[in-house]
Amino acid sequence: MKNRRSFTTTLIAGTLAAAALPAFAQPAPVTLLNVSYDPTRELYVEVNAAFIKHWKARTGQDVTIKQSHGGSGKQARSIIDGLDADVATLALAGDTDALHNNGGWIPKDWQKRLPHNSSPYTSTIVLVTRAGNPKAIKDWDDLIRPDVKVITPNPKTSGGARWNYLAAWEFAKRKYGSEAKAKEFVGKLYANVPVLDSGARGSSVTFAQRAQGDVFISWENEAYLLEKEFGNKVDFVYPSLSILAEPAVTVVDKNVDKKGTRAVAQAYLEYLYTEEAQDLIGKHFYRPTSAKAQARYARQLPKLKLFRIEEAFGGWEQAAKLHFADGGSFDQIYSIRP
């Protein structure tokens, strides 16, 4: 009996001691919503899977990442109207600025929070043609020929469409020597556009699957995806001049602070700058900012003659005011199309 009491006493004491130890609870699972623009679906499917694995190994926390895609301008408006985005990975800084200007969802200096003005990758605009390039399209000025139908999305709703518009405008301004000539040129180009989809992916479908148009003004990465999927039906050419597109990313401060997801959302965006993510970015035909990844993908992403929006248009705020605001140059051009 003595030995039994001793065993029982020892068992109880051990149980109480174990209860006194701090509990290392598993971190609660977290869900992020990445609100992005049209052509990034495939990229973020892979990036998200890689980050989930990376974060689990680092912290033990399970993360689910949901994706929302559409025209960049429409996506920005959706966040402003209440879409619960943790991060916004939109097509252009001008759309992201709207999150500050319309409700203070992010701070004014949001672009200073991550490297390269919060752009972990860049892209540019190219011209996708039918296989064999039957209309012999080589440059922007071929897009105003009367025998050419052009597919491009609506710059009122699509960030990619704004890059397209400004690339064509700057080409014409440099070639023909004035803003007035550039406006006339872009007016002729849009007179050749039979339909304006709301986003870049919609225009891609219109061109490749519905077989409308002779040329599609496209993101470079989207052109490569079309070539992979419809290789016997499409080709693409680099114009003599194009624009350096800098899609930007940000945490949506109001939402992450409300939801308690700031730490994971910030880590997710920082992960985009890691070599692992930069390799995925190059794999999906975006232009990495990492020198190592740039070298790895140099053959498929050649050096081009590109201009920056700041040098040609004074930045996004100025460009949006002159060209895409109500009554701006796009409205003037499109209202008088034949």
Side-chain angles (χ1 to χ4, degrees), residues 43 47 120-121 272 277-288:
L43 169 65
V47 166
Y121 50 85
L272 296 174
Q278 289 285 300
D279 185 65
L280 293 176
I281 283 164
K283 175 184 173 183
H284 285 271
F285 310 107
Y286 292 86
R287 292 176 174 252

Side-chain angles (χ1 to χ4, degrees), residues 6-316:
S6 176
F7 173 77
T8 303
T9 302
T10 301
L11 179 62
I12 292 171
T15 302
L16 291 173
L21 292 173
F24 293 97
Q26 185 78 5
V30 64
T31 298
L32 300 180
L33 174 60
N34 177 2
V35 174
S36 195
Y37 61 107
D38 256 337
T40 59
R41 289 172 174 83
E42 295 81 5
L43 169 65
Y44 281 114
V45 166
E46 282 212 58
V47 166
N48 293 349
F51 175 77
I52 288 167
K53 183 178 179 181
H54 160 84
W55 191 248
K56 178 72 172 178
R58 178 179 165 187
T59 69
Q61 188 174 34
D62 291 313
V63 180
T64 300
I65 305 173
K66 297 181 179 179
Q67 299 176 216
S68 171
H69 298 271
S72 184
K74 288 185 68 176
Q75 292 292 79
R77 173 50 58 186
S78 294
I79 296 172
I80 293 163
D81 290 343
L83 183 60
D84 220 10
D86 297 274
V87 299
T89 59
L90 301 177
L92 49 93
D95 286 337
T96 312
D97 281 336
L99 303 183
H100 169 73
N101 298 333
N102 296 274
W105 296 89
I106 59 176
K108 184 176 179 61
D109 65 348
W110 65 270
Q111 223 166 349
K112 297 179 180 179
R113 299 193 292 189
L114 288 167
H116 306 293
N117 290 324
S118 292
S119 295
Y121 50 85
T122 65
S123 190
T124 191
I125 302 303
V126 303
L127 308 177
V128 181
T129 71
R130 299 295 171 197
N133 196 1
K135 293 293 180 80
I137 292 165
K138 298 177 182 178
D139 212 343
W140 292 103
D141 42 12
D142 293 311
L143 275 54
I144 66 170
R145 289 170 15 203
D147 64 321
V148 172
K149 295 298 181 187
V150 179
I151 301 299
T152 184
N154 188 341
K156 303 289 276 190
T157 56
S158 165
R162 294 189 176 195
W163 293 113
N164 298 353
Y165 181 103
L166 295 176
W169 186 286
E170 182 65 10
F171 166 84
K173 184 173 72 174
R174 294 188 184 192
K175 180 166 184 175
Y176 302 112
S178 72
E179 296 282 353
K181 290 291 186 181
K183 185 175 183 179
E184 179 184 353
F185 177 90
V186 175
K188 291 178 180 178
L189 189 158
Y190 277 89
N192 285 347
V193 177
V195 58
L196 286 175
D197 292 291
S198 64
R201 183 55 60 87
S203 286
S204 179
V205 169
T206 294
F207 182 77
Q209 295 184 15
R210 298 176 185 161
Q212 293 192 42
D214 302 298
V215 59
F216 168 38
I217 309 177
S218 171
W219 287 103
E220 180 181 36
N221 61 285
E222 190 79 351
Y224 273 106
L225 291 177
L226 287 175
E227 186 178 62
K228 285 179 68 176
E229 187 172 355
F230 303 95
N232 62 335
K233 296 182 179 180
V234 301
D235 286 326
F236 71 89
V237 297
Y238 284 101
S240 62
L241 175 73
S242 197
I243 193 166
L244 177 65
E246 298 174 291
V249 303
T250 185
V251 165
V252 183
D253 295 70
K254 275 190 176 182
N255 288 339
V256 297
D257 289 340
K258 177 183 69 176
K259 297 163 68 177
T261 56
R262 178 180 285 276
V264 182
Q266 181 68 24
Y268 174 65
L269 295 185
E270 290 172 354
Y271 176 76
L272 296 174
Y273 293 86
T274 66
E275 289 301 328
E276 185 176 38
Q278 289 285 300
D279 185 65
L280 293 176
I281 283 164
K283 175 184 173 183
H284 285 271
F285 310 107
Y286 292 86
R287 292 176 174 252
T289 53
S290 151
K292 287 183 180 179
Q294 286 175 359
R296 193 176 304 121
Y297 292 99
R299 291 184 64 184
Q300 76 179 31
L301 300 169
K303 289 187 177 181
L304 306 169
K305 185 178 181 181
L306 304 176
F307 68 89
R308 303 179 73 99
I309 188 169
E310 290 80 9
E311 68 184 87
F313 297 95
W316 272 112

